[in-house]
Every structure is written in C-alpha cells, then in structure tokens.
Amino acid sequence: MQDTATALPAAPKVPAKVAAVLTYARRHGWTAEAEWSPAHETNTGDGWVATLGADAARGRGEFRMVWRYRGKNLKFERHYSEGRAPGEWCDAPTLEFIHWAVRNNPVPIAGADPVWRWREADALPPSVDELTDAMLAQARRDAEKSHVPQTVFASQWIGGKFMGADCLLTNAGMPREDQRPSDAHPDAVPLLTVLPSFYFGTVPTR
C-alpha cells in the first residue's frame, strides 16, 4: 500500500543570529535548544523558538525566545520567561536579554575552569565562588615570597582587557580598610585572604 501522506518539509539550518544565542547560553552552563516552528502549527508564521533553561529547582527557570520570518527576513519577535514571570512577553534585543539572564541567573559548572567567561565585553568581576587555582596563583606566590598574608580583589583585567587567568585577580599585603590595589576593579571588594604556607604550622591543632 502506497503512503499518500504529504511529508513535512525539513527544518532549515539554524540561522546565525539564533545560533549565537544558543552558543552564548551553552558556554555559560545553560541548556539551549532551538526548534523549527512551522506556520501550520502556530498560525503566526514560520520561525524558530529557542528554549534556554537552568536549574528551575533553584529558581533559575526557563527562558524562551521567538523569531519569525517577515517576508524573507528573520526578525526577533518576543521572548518570555517562565521562571520569572510566566507568560509575560516583551520586546527586547535577543543577546542583551540573554546577557542579563545569564549574569543574574548563573549556573556554575563543577570542576570547569570558567576563565573564558571574563573575555565577554560585559563581563562582571569574579566572585569568590568562581575562583580557581590558576586565578589565585599570583597571590599564592606573593604570599610565599613576602611571608605576608595577601588580600585578594577582582582586578580590572576582564572583558576587552583580559590578559589571562592569573590577571583576573589582584592582591595586596594586609591592606588597611580604606586601601585598594591600583588595578582593582572599580566594583571590587575583598574576596579572601591567602596565607603563606608557614602560617599553617603556627596554628594550634587543639
């Protein structure tokens, strides 16, 4: 028996502007998928629906973004956030929205070196829970060499000024409360203090 059902056309390749959003979200630890949405399913025109999600159990939720073809051009239509305001739609630039979502709903990746994040033009300074051994290497060397505890701050070397993992932080030897290293990020506060190794032998065990 011959199947007379009409085969649905294959979804086209994900466009670059949609792929850029997916790539950005995935690099920051989110799940991100794009699905072709043909007109006969939505009555709103052919287009793409991107779903970006984080751990909803921790309140980070899910975001959806929609593009539709207007004539021959793919236009960003709207987005909504199920995690923050269910069904609330608003027009906004796509990557700006994703920058906001990722920066305000971070998803740490256990065991991964997150240094690439600070190459982004809108990167925020590292927080204490994002620090890695590579980022703290210079502070540890300074503590060992000076025999003075080093107070660690986020440095100005992020985004377009990115120079490497060990430059994302700056440190000063036991600074006064009103002191900051000259290359500290304008928004930086003390993150932690690195002790010289000999300090650990001077701490009573009981």
Side-chain angles (χ1 to χ4, degrees), residues 21-203:
V21 170
L22 302 180
T23 299
Y24 182 90
R26 287 168 182 158
R27 287 197 351 242
H28 287 77
W30 288 53
T31 61
E33 300 296 335
E35 183 178 8
W36 174 245
S37 177
H40 67 81
E41 292 183 4
T42 61
N43 296 320
T44 56
D46 291 342
W48 291 90
V49 177
T51 302
L52 305 102
D55 187 352
R58 289 180 285 175
R60 296 187 172 116
E62 181 180 75
F63 299 89
R64 285 185 180 163
M65 309 179 71
V66 180
W67 290 261
R68 297 289 178 203
Y69 280 98
R70 298 175 189 170
K72 294 183 179 180
N73 298 316
L74 186 69
K75 299 290 186 181
F76 180 61
E77 186 175 87
R78 58 188 179 241
H79 69 73
Y80 68 92
S81 160
E82 292 184 347
R84 300 181 65 87
E88 182 177 334
W89 297 83
C90 67
D91 294 325
T94 56
L95 277 175
E96 286 186 16
F97 171 68
I98 292 300
H99 289 167
W100 174 87
V102 169
R103 290 169 65 180
N104 288 277
N105 299 272
V107 182
I109 303 174
D113 185 350
V115 167
W116 48 260
R117 175 185 299 183
W118 291 284
R119 294 176 183 158
E120 301 290 343
D122 63 344
L124 297 176
S127 60
V128 68
D129 60 334
E130 295 172 314
L131 304 186
T132 66
D133 287 340
M135 293 161 67
L136 289 166
Q138 186 61 52
R140 296 191 193 283
R141 287 193 291 267
D142 290 346
E144 292 301 312
K145 185 176 180 179
S146 67
H147 290 191
V148 174
Q150 298 292 316
T151 300
V152 176
F153 299 78
S155 80
Q156 64 178 327
W157 302 108
I158 61 174
K161 298 180 179 180
F162 183 83
M163 295 178 65
D166 58 348
C167 294
L168 288 168
L169 303 178
T170 186
N171 54 276
M174 301 182 68
R176 296 194 307 268
E177 187 174 344
D178 60 343
Q179 279 184 322
R180 293 164 52 88
S182 60
D183 59 345
H185 191 278
D187 300 327
V189 296
L191 296 174
L192 52 78
T193 298
V194 174
L195 300 177
S197 59
F198 80 87
Y199 266 52
F200 298 103
T202 65
V203 178

